[in-house]
Amino acid sequence: MRNAMDEVRLVVQPTVSHYRAPLLKALLEQQVLPLSLLGRYANSEDRQSRNHIRSASAEILRRVDELKFREWRNLRWERGVVPSVLRGEYRAYVLEGRVYTVSTWLALALGRAKKTPVFLWGHGWKRPESGLKRTSRVAFYRLSSGLLVYGDRAKEYAVSVGLDADRIAVVGNSIYATQDLIDHAVPNRPSTEEDFTVIVSVRLTSRHRVDMLAEALALMSPGGRRTRVIVIGDGDQAETLRESFEQAGVAAKFVGAVYGAESLAPYYAVADVAVSPRASGLNIVQAMGFGRPVIAPEIDPTSGPESELVVDGHTGLQFPLDDIGALARALQSLRDDPDAAVRMGQAARERVLRTHTAEAHSAKIVQAVKGWLDRDR
């Protein structure tokens, strides 16, 4: 039986949701660094029940201790974390890098005082900050023994405001295991297909701006291929969006929430391109993993670092934020050049298989934490 003092206590970021299951499985199965997982089971983007995020399977939940918490507005207190650090129950801790979690501030301070390493894991900076917000976040991160972030821009900005580059590791993000992507690979779309099919896979909330896609498709000049849309996801804007596509004269099929590579593969198999109008995240990793190019905004303060995977002209196309005309032109260019869409889709899949599988994600987390622990021994 393992001794807890040899283990690293890792808080799952952000929650023990269905899309975290492949990563959690990889973390639990790796043999390099003994881990004990703790995570929140409550998975909701907001208080609308239709925006609820499905939890991981019962098998995964059995292997992750439940993290109880209380919230008041933006502030959160995670129960049990501070007493555990105070007692020194684990060799080190990896906590969610959420600046509004009061218990994490105290855990970081206690870790410093007791010489117990406390690392942070999260997005880091999604956008530049100033004033008290930036000062608070810099102080928060400086208390940690190391910072795990999802993307390169977060690290670059952290270094620009004075944080130590050697204490920041870019670990990426993931949604599927390598074998899932191999087992459920979809063929390239033939250039002779009569339909030009656009797929969008997001939670159907106002922040994701799927209505922009309807407007952009209505602006496209006529072409030789019929345009249709597959909308994957559910949320409180579903009915409004149905009306938007209908008014735009675009054939849109709403299939609801779909989970798992096996269930999603048939939809991506008939799609030419994926679009993420706003608030991009793991939907980019999903689409690229299935070998589809992604059209997304150049710089979007509501998007996660996964948007960095969209390299204009290589793994997809970018358009200026909220520029519906530019989005229409990007769609039209791939409709009229299906070979380019296939080429970008192949590059997109290769990138995800190389850097954004659950195994790659797990390895980067473990390598960074173990490296810091070994260096500080």
Side-chain angles (χ1 to χ4, degrees):
M1 182 179 293
R2 290 193 314 203
N3 186 337
M5 283 296 295
D6 296 327
E7 296 180 331
V8 173
R9 186 66 151 167
L10 184 144
V11 174
V12 178
Q13 201 284 330
T15 55
V16 191
S17 54
H18 69 94
Y19 64 81
R20 272 287 173 252
L23 171 64
L24 301 184
K25 188 171 184 290
L27 286 169
L28 288 164
E29 291 179 352
Q30 57 82 31
Q31 301 295 314
V32 177
L33 184 68
L35 293 174
S36 171
L37 303 188
L38 177 69
R40 290 183 291 127
Y41 289 4
N43 305 304
S44 60
E45 180 182 70
D46 55 39
R47 300 189 186 280
Q48 294 286 337
S49 61
R50 289 193 70 180
N51 300 334
H52 189 75
I53 305 171
R54 195 177 76 172
S55 292
S57 67
E59 178 188 358
I60 292 293
L61 292 177
R62 281 195 297 270
R63 302 180 71 183
V64 180
D65 296 330
E66 183 175 6
L67 175 60
K68 302 286 189 178
F69 63 97
R70 285 187 176 180
E71 287 185 328
W72 184 75
R73 296 186 178 178
N74 285 334
L75 300 179
R76 181 184 301 158
W77 181 271
E78 295 178 340
R79 299 180 185 176
V81 173
V82 170
S84 180
V85 176
L86 183 62
R87 291 191 293 265
E89 293 176 338
Y90 293 89
R91 179 185 179 189
Y93 296 80
V94 180
L95 306 182
E96 183 179 3
R98 184 178 183 275
V99 73
Y100 297 108
T101 302
V102 179
S103 53
T104 301
W105 280 91
L106 187 51
L108 288 166
L110 284 171
R112 279 289 182 114
K114 295 178 64 64
K115 300 190 184 321
T116 299
V118 180
F119 307 101
L120 295 176
W121 173 26
H123 286 92
W125 275 279
K126 285 187 176 182
R127 64 192 72 86
E129 290 178 331
S130 60
L132 183 59
K133 270 193 172 182
R134 187 174 75 180
T135 301
S136 299
R137 197 180 296 273
V138 169
F140 183 62
Y141 292 154
R142 276 187 174 149
L143 280 172
S144 74
S145 302
L147 179 61
L148 306 170
V149 296
Y150 289 161
D152 292 324
R153 290 178 194 155
K155 179 172 182 175
E156 290 166 4
Y157 186 76
V159 172
S160 76
V161 296
L163 296 182
D164 184 357
D166 290 337
R167 289 289 169 172
I168 306 169
V170 178
V171 298
N173 207 354
S174 65
I175 188 168
Y176 297 125
T178 303
Q179 197 60 48
D180 285 334
L181 293 175
I182 293 172
D183 290 345
H184 306 295
V186 298
N188 296 325
R189 285 274 283 171
S191 59
T192 54
E193 287 286 348
E194 294 183 357
D195 289 336
F196 173 64
T197 303
V198 179
I199 192 167
V200 56
S201 177
V202 296
R203 289 193 294 279
L204 304 183
T205 64
S206 57
R207 68 189 293 264
H208 291 91
R209 293 300 312 276
V210 179
D211 57 297
M212 286 176 54
L213 175 59
E215 294 181 49
L217 291 171
L219 291 177
M220 287 171 58
S221 62
R225 304 171 70 191
R226 296 188 302 268
T227 298
R228 65 191 186 106
V229 177
I230 298 173
V231 181
I232 296 174
D234 199 3
D236 54 21
Q237 295 293 302
E239 296 308 317
T240 301
L241 291 170
R242 288 179 193 272
E243 294 174 4
S244 296
F245 282 102
E246 186 175 340
Q247 291 170 4
V250 177
K253 180 179 181 181
F254 285 72
V255 299
V258 180
Y259 302 106
E262 181 178 7
S263 299
L264 284 160
Y267 296 108
Y268 278 98
V270 296
D272 294 277
V273 59
V275 174
S276 185
R278 266 281 204 160
S280 304
L282 281 169
N283 59 326
I284 286 179
V285 180
Q286 179 188 96
M288 289 175 58
F290 282 111
R292 296 302 179 253
V294 177
I295 300 176
E298 292 172 356
I299 299 175
D300 176 9
T302 66
S303 286
E306 297 83 4
S307 60
E308 296 172 25
L309 292 174
V310 182
V311 180
D312 192 50
H314 181 60
T315 58
L317 294 176
Q318 295 179 317
F319 64 95
L321 185 65
D322 294 339
D323 188 333
I324 295 172
L327 173 56
R329 290 190 291 275
L331 284 160
Q332 188 170 312
S333 70
L334 292 185
R335 180 198 67 185
D336 296 342
D337 190 353
D339 290 337
V342 169
R343 184 175 64 252
M344 292 180 197
Q346 290 173 334
R349 179 172 167 82
E350 289 169 5
R351 174 63 193 275
V352 167
L353 285 170
R354 188 171 68 252
T355 64
H356 280 69
T357 62
E359 294 84 359
H361 193 183
S362 169
K364 290 174 187 175
I365 292 171
V366 168
Q367 181 182 14
V369 173
K370 187 176 186 301
W372 286 326
L373 290 174
D374 290 347
R375 190 186 316 173
D376 296 340
R377 184 177 296 172

